[in-house]
């Protein structure tokens, strides 16, 4: 991809990764991603905001060659994670007089992760400005969007916010600005669920602070840019603190059909109660979809068979993942089956200490459930629906 104009004297100089399928060897990327970098040209100084993933350094070199840049004075490192910082060593070599600008916290991380010469680094305080002549950059420390060292940059005269990973989406697209809101909404929600949700209390504060800035363009580090910033700021407000849905997510595995019977009955019971149910077969679905569904679910019910006296490992993984992502769920339960004994309930609950939930009566049934056994599932469905009604979710 060639450089593209964002606004007067601001260029997108990133890389679109159409083929990447997984991020951090953890997060599925069904739509690829992009590594957005930006070039801001003031009357006196030129600044590069971030670089690209090291797998794209060669391609990126071609993009920079085509721009025939005579110099870059500063390289802003918004974030030390390698998808943005990985080509900094190359950029520092290419622009031999450039200083690397980052937060004090990022300084050590960039040295540790990329072995960057500390003599090239200039740290900036929260709110500090950098004059480029007729343009001004303001640096906004914003820890935990995604790591503790993250920083946003605001270009005052153009009202452009470069928010680092915040407001991003893993979406490879030829569109510079969002043009398909529904597609971008889904990609941004998935991204929020997988990357930002664990830090939502920090994000609440960042959103509050950003309310004091006039913003015309949001130019995140991944995915399309927003020339209607309200769109992404509103959906973020909803995800971090909006009302939860009258919804139950059921991540489950069934080995020989018994847990499937239980889950099917739970779906039917909840549906009769007017509760939306999202079953998620862990051996078939992708974890990004599960994470997305957890953003606004009021309840999660894990469904597991018993394997070697414990939960199925895939269900244990889902519990660990939910614990790490810290969704706002209010209620949790466990359903499943066993052959001769086991401790699946205790094990799974012990894997989710971060979820501040009320645990509703788990139902673990022996063998293939009979009709009378399934009454316990119906009672769980009623209990969940009552809880949701009590919480004003209906
Ligand atoms: Fe896009 Fe946390 O890196």
């Amino acid at each position: 991809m060639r450089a593209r104009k964002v606004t007067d004297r601001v260029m997108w100089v990133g890389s679109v990764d159409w083929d990447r399928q997984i991020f951090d060897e953890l997060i599925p990327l069904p739509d690829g991603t992009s590594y957005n970098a930006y070039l801001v040209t003031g009357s006196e100084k030129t600044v590069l905001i971030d670089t690209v993933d090291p797998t794209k350094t060669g391609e990126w070199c071609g993009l920079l060659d085509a721009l025939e840049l005579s110099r870059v004075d500063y390289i802003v490192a918004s974030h030390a994670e390698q998808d943005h910082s990985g080509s900094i060593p190359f950029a520092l070599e290419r622009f031999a007089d450039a200083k690397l600008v980052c937060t004090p916290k990022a300084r050590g991380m960039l040295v540790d992760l990329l072995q960057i010469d500390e003599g090239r680094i200039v740290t900036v305080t929260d709110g500090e400005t950098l004059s480029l002549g007729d343009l001004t950059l303001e640096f906004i420390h914003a820890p935990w969007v995604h790591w503790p060292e993250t920083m946003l940059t605001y270009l005052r005269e153009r009202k452009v916010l470069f928010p680092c990973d915040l407001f991003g989406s893993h979406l490879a697209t030829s569109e510079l600005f969002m043009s398909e809101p529904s597609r971008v909404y889904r990609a941004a929600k998935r991204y929020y669920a997988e990357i930002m949700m664990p830090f939502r209390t920090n994000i609440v504060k960042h959103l509050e602070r950003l309310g004091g800035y006039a913003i015309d363009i949001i130019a995140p580090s991944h995915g399309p840019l927003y020339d209607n910033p309200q769109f992404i700021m509103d959906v973020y407000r909803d995800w971090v603190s909006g009302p939860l849905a009258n919804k139950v997510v059921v991540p489950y595995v069934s080995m020989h059909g018994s847990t499937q019977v239980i889950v099917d009955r739970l779906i039917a019971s909840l549906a009769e109660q007017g509760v939306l149910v999202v079953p998620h077969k862990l051996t078939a679905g992708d974890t990004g979809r599960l994470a997305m569904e957890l953003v606004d679910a009021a309840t999660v019910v894990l469904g597991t068979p018993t394997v070697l006296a414990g939960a199925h490992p895939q269900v244990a993984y889902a519990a660990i993942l939910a614990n790490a992502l810290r969704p706002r769920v209010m209620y949790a339960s466990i359903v499943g089956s066993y052959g001769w004994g086991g401790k699946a309930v205790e094990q799974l609950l012990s894997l989710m200490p971060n979820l501040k939930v009320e645990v509703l009566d788990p139902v673990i049934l022996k063998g293939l459930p009979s009709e009378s056994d399934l009454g316990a599932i119906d009672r769980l469905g009623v209990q969940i629906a009552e809880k949701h009604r009590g919480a004003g979710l209906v």
Side-chain angles (χ1 to χ4, degrees):
M1 196 76 91
R2 295 184 190 135
R4 306 177 77 175
K5 181 177 174 180
V6 174
T7 187
D8 179 41
R9 286 189 284 150
V10 180
M11 303 282 286
W12 175 91
V13 291
S15 174
V16 178
D17 199 338
W18 302 95
D19 301 323
R20 189 159 180 177
Q21 295 183 331
I22 192 158
F23 194 80
D24 289 349
E25 294 304 313
L26 173 67
I27 297 167
L29 299 182
D31 303 307
T33 190
S34 66
Y35 318 109
N36 297 337
Y38 302 95
L39 190 73
V40 181
T41 309
S43 58
E44 292 172 18
K45 304 285 185 191
T46 297
V47 176
L48 183 60
I49 299 180
D50 294 316
T51 67
V52 299
D53 190 89
T55 58
K56 294 288 184 181
T57 307
E59 175 192 309
W60 193 55
C61 178
L63 179 148
L64 294 176
D65 284 346
L67 286 174
E68 298 180 352
L69 289 173
S70 56
R71 62 178 288 130
V72 164
D73 300 283
Y74 300 100
I75 301 166
V76 173
S78 308
H79 183 14
E81 192 167 14
Q82 289 86 339
D83 51 327
H84 312 293
S85 69
S87 297
I88 286 176
F90 161 81
L92 287 174
E93 201 177 315
R94 180 174 181 126
F95 304 111
D97 296 325
K99 290 287 187 188
L100 186 63
V101 178
C102 64
T103 62
K105 184 84 180 171
R107 178 190 188 111
M109 295 171 74
L110 290 163
V111 170
D112 290 345
L113 295 173
L114 299 161
Q115 299 174 352
I116 287 168
D117 171 7
E118 283 198 70
R120 301 285 300 270
I121 300 177
V122 180
T123 61
V124 287
T125 55
D126 185 25
E128 191 170 334
T129 58
L130 177 66
S131 172
L132 312 183
D134 58 348
L135 297 178
T136 315
L137 295 181
E138 177 182 337
F139 301 108
I140 304 167
H141 287 199
W144 301 110
V145 297
H146 162 213
W147 286 0
E149 85 298 2
T150 43
M151 177 173 81
L152 325 184
T153 301
Y154 179 64
L155 175 58
R156 284 183 178 170
E157 292 77 6
R158 297 290 178 274
K159 299 186 177 68
V160 180
L161 178 72
F162 303 95
C164 186
D165 274 347
L166 185 65
F167 303 134
S169 55
H170 284 310
L171 180 60
T173 169
S174 59
E175 302 286 350
L176 183 61
F177 288 95
M178 176 186 76
S179 63
E180 297 173 276
S182 59
R183 182 162 179 246
V184 174
Y185 176 89
R186 284 193 67 74
K189 188 173 184 182
R190 173 185 273 263
Y191 175 101
Y192 165 81
E194 294 165 327
I195 295 165
M196 294 294 156
M197 188 158 64
F199 312 115
R200 68 185 166 77
T201 51
N202 301 80
I203 293 171
V204 168
K205 293 181 197 141
H206 298 322
L207 287 172
E208 220 173 275
R209 185 171 176 189
L210 290 175
Y213 287 79
I215 299 171
D216 286 346
I217 293 174
I218 289 182
S221 294
H222 297 283
L225 286 63
Y226 299 92
D227 51 12
N228 169 15
Q230 213 55 44
F231 171 86
I232 193 68
M233 292 181 95
D234 284 348
V235 296
Y236 259 71
R237 282 193 193 96
D238 186 36
W239 296 335
V240 296
S241 53
L244 291 176
N246 179 23
K247 178 168 95 175
V248 179
V249 178
V250 187
Y252 76 100
V253 170
S254 183
M255 290 165 68
H256 301 294
S258 300
T259 302
Q260 185 69 59
V261 170
I262 291 167
V263 167
D264 288 345
R265 183 64 166 244
L266 183 62
I267 294 168
S269 297
L270 286 167
E272 268 172 27
Q273 298 287 326
V275 179
L276 174 66
V277 195
V278 181
H280 184 90
K281 191 178 273 189
L282 290 159
T283 47
D286 89 74
T287 49
R289 176 180 170 268
L290 172 60
M292 263 174 88
E293 294 296 350
L294 288 172
V295 169
D296 57 0
T299 298
V300 60
V301 178
L302 295 167
T304 185
T306 302
V307 181
L308 300 173
H312 189 287
Q314 292 264 45
V315 184
Y317 174 72
I320 291 169
L321 188 69
N323 186 63
L325 295 179
R326 298 171 183 252
R328 295 188 292 148
V329 285
M330 300 166 73
Y331 309 103
S333 191
I334 296 161
V335 298
S337 65
Y338 71 102
W340 48 91
K343 296 275 185 192
V345 169
E346 294 86 336
Q347 182 196 29
L348 290 174
L349 291 177
S350 75
L351 295 174
M352 303 186 290
N354 291 341
L355 300 192
K356 305 303 175 205
V357 291
E358 180 181 345
V359 178
L360 306 181
D361 301 339
V363 181
I364 304 293
L365 301 173
K366 188 173 187 185
L368 186 63
S370 65
E371 185 57 29
S372 61
D373 289 339
L374 290 168
I377 294 294
D378 292 337
R379 287 191 288 280
L380 175 61
V382 169
Q383 191 184 19
I384 291 170
E386 282 171 354
K387 288 289 179 186
H388 284 200
R389 276 195 289 274
L393 302 176
V394 183

